[in-house]
Amino acid sequence: MTGGFTGTGLVKRYRRDAETVHALAGVDLTVAAGELVALVGPSGSGKSTLLALLCGWETADAGRLAYSGLPADRRPDTLGWPELALVPQALGLVAELSLLDNVLLPARLRGTAAAEQGRAAALLADFGLDHLADRYPSQASLGEQQRAAVARALLLRPGVLLADEPTAHQDRDSADRLLDAVVAAARDGAAVLVATHDEIAWARADRVLSMRDGRITEGPPR
Ligand code: ADP
Ligand code: MG
């Protein structure tokens, strides 16, 4: 089981034609097991890039990542859903699967879908999706799809939970229910990092980190 994680001196540059974008310009952060941290910053400040490094989709140009409970050389792209789960900004639901089967996907990949049926049904009910279980993503609203993506990430009670603007498409009530579940995951011991513009989400966090121009400062934006 993973718990907290630490990033040290993280640098990520993207080349765009002749221009180099310093998406991350030396980021240090630690999120402890059991802690919910909100990552706040304007569009383009590097939030999604940081999550992409932390989940192993992108590789840092410099810096180190460490996940507690795992060997220091364990790379994030080798972590499975029980160790690290992500709610991508673009959700990443599988179009060919029902919402229920999308939520069950992490268990299906491990051969434990039967054992997780009850948990999947409970998550769908918590998020007001029980009547939509058999619908395909294209037959659900964006907000409903987003709630399914959060349920999928929570299914296996991950040690690390990364969520990219998970309340972006929600009304206040639905956002509160999502945040209740995210807070509960942290209280159960997950290390949770949520990129968010939602001030109510910051209020539920144990700590707020502000991101601007690829750098992080402790505390809410000024
Ligand atoms: P945020 O999630 O805070 O809106 P991003 O991490 O998506 O910010 O982007 C940070 C910066 O890196 C932006 O300037 C963005 O345009 C740039 N960027 C992100 N991904 C790429 C990419 N694949 N290629 C080039 N530039 C990118
Ligand atoms: Mg983003």
Side-chain angles (χ1 to χ4, degrees), residues 34-218:
E35 193 179 33
L36 169 54
V37 175
L39 179 66
V40 179
S43 183
S45 59
K47 304 182 298 296
S48 294
T49 300
L50 178 58
L51 296 190
L53 293 189
L54 291 171
C55 77
W57 283 355
E58 298 275 5
T59 307
D61 296 310
R64 278 179 291 114
L65 287 171
Y67 298 83
S68 33
L70 296 175
D73 61 353
R74 186 83 187 271
R75 292 161 41 119
D77 59 355
T78 68
L79 303 181
W81 286 94
E83 293 163 322
L84 186 150
L86 177 73
V87 182
Q89 193 160 18
L91 308 183
L93 296 179
V94 178
E96 291 83 355
L97 297 180
S98 69
L99 294 186
L100 174 62
D101 285 335
N102 267 286
V103 173
L104 278 168
L105 188 63
R108 182 71 52 86
L109 295 171
R110 296 165 52 78
T112 61
E116 301 293 350
Q117 288 279 350
R119 165 108 173 124
L123 284 165
L124 287 177
D126 284 350
F127 292 168
L129 296 173
D130 32 350
H131 61 299
L132 304 177
D134 295 331
R135 290 217 200 152
Y136 294 100
S138 61
Q139 300 168 327
S141 74
L142 195 50
E144 290 158 352
Q145 293 175 47
Q146 186 171 46
R147 302 208 292 281
V150 176
R152 178 183 59 184
L154 292 170
L155 183 74
L156 299 181
R157 304 179 195 277
V160 174
L161 174 63
L162 307 174
D164 204 346
E165 310 207 17
T167 60
H169 306 297
Q170 306 302 321
D171 60 42
R172 198 59 266 160
D173 278 354
S174 300
D176 285 338
R177 265 184 288 174
L178 282 186
L179 291 169
D180 289 344
V182 169
V183 169
R187 296 297 89 93
D188 286 346
V192 184
L193 182 64
V194 178
T196 182
H197 288 289
D198 181 354
E199 299 216 9
I200 292 173
W202 318 355
R204 306 282 304 266
D206 299 308
R207 225 152 36 89
V208 178
L209 300 175
S210 297
M211 189 147 216
R212 178 170 284 277
D213 296 335
R215 295 179 193 279
I216 276 184
T217 52
E218 192 82 31

